[in-house]
Amino acid sequence: QHTHRPDGSPTLLKLGVSSGPFTTGIIGLQSPRYSIFGDTVNMASRMASNSVACTALEPFVHISPSAHALLAKSGSDEWME
């Protein structure tokens, strides 16, 4: 099933995947929010920002070298499809 916006156009995604250290925490007193910090998060965000928008019919994901190494190490080729 494909998700479309109310005007009928497809939902577009920009994705970046990275792996590495990060820190989490709850920020704020009046309206607390859960946040994730670190170079790993910043790298994934930059990859997503510079990525090509994609749909379910045309998937495209930026993957960092560290995330690629972990996926390759898993022994599965399905992620490369």
Side-chain angles (χ1 to χ4, degrees):
Q1 180 178 348
H2 302 288
T3 304
H4 288 79
R5 298 175 11 190
D7 65 1
S9 62
T11 301
L12 300 176
L13 300 174
K14 289 187 170 190
L15 304 170
V17 178
S18 188
S19 63
F22 62 91
T23 302
T24 64
I26 297 176
I27 307 298
L29 297 174
Q30 292 182 347
S31 179
R33 299 178 192 276
Y34 185 77
S35 294
I36 303 172
F37 306 95
D39 289 340
T40 304
V41 177
N42 294 336
M43 179 183 283
S45 176
R46 284 191 302 271
M47 287 189 300
S49 295
N50 293 307
S51 180
V52 175
C54 64
T55 66
L57 297 175
E58 299 176 34
F60 187 87
V61 180
H62 276 213
I63 299 176
S64 71
S66 59
H68 178 273
L70 286 173
L71 289 168
K73 197 177 189 179
S74 73
S76 174
D77 292 341
E78 291 179 27
W79 63 274
M80 294 176 61
E81 292 179 9

